[in-house]
Amino acid sequence: MIGRHLIEKAAASLGLEISHMKESSRFGRAFSMVKCDDGKSSRLWNPLVNSGDALELAAGHRMDVLHGENDLGEPIVTAQPAALSFSECPAVEFTGPESIREAITRSAAKVGGEA
């Protein structure tokens, strides 16, 4: 699951509704401009490119962010929400802050209904 579906499921996990998505590669991601609505106000939101939005997901799901190594000794990062067991959480190759945001977003998407 990448791009649009990942962001939609992550937003759903917090009760946010995506009202508009614009394709752009400005920040290196397919969807860098996402407008969402929480019932009170609309705002731009994208946890794949904004650390504050990723932190909102992590706090909203009481996530533990864990760094480690895969079987080949390569660095990985996983974000574990309270609602999921560790084995259900996707691991992302650690390359810097963007991989932490991706791990958080992927785990939130799993909580939000990704099969």
Side-chain angles (χ1 to χ4, degrees):
M1 180 171 55
I2 58 170
R4 180 181 204 94
H5 297 306
L6 182 66
I7 294 169
E8 286 174 342
K9 298 293 184 182
S13 75
L14 289 181
L16 300 174
E17 184 177 321
I18 302 292
S19 59
H20 175 74
M21 277 190 162
K22 180 180 177 185
E23 258 186 81
S24 171
S25 59
R26 181 175 170 201
F27 298 107
R29 293 287 182 177
F31 296 96
S32 63
M33 189 167 159
V34 180
K35 188 173 181 183
C36 68
D37 187 352
D38 63 3
K40 300 172 200 157
S41 63
S42 293
R43 61 191 164 115
L44 295 179
W45 185 84
N46 189 337
L48 291 173
V49 297
N50 185 293
S51 295
D53 295 337
L55 181 60
E56 178 184 9
L57 281 174
H61 292 293
R62 297 180 12 231
M63 287 188 190
D64 290 327
V65 177
L66 310 161
H67 293 264
E69 294 180 344
N70 63 15
D71 294 339
L72 301 173
E74 301 164 331
I76 59 170
V77 63
T78 301
Q80 181 184 5
L84 297 177
S85 69
F86 182 74
S87 63
E88 296 175 285
C89 300
V92 175
E93 179 185 357
F94 181 75
T95 57
E98 66 280 353
S99 55
I100 296 170
R101 291 191 300 265
E102 182 178 346
I104 289 169
T105 305
R106 288 188 176 282
S107 288
K110 200 148 180 88
V111 172
E114 185 251 334

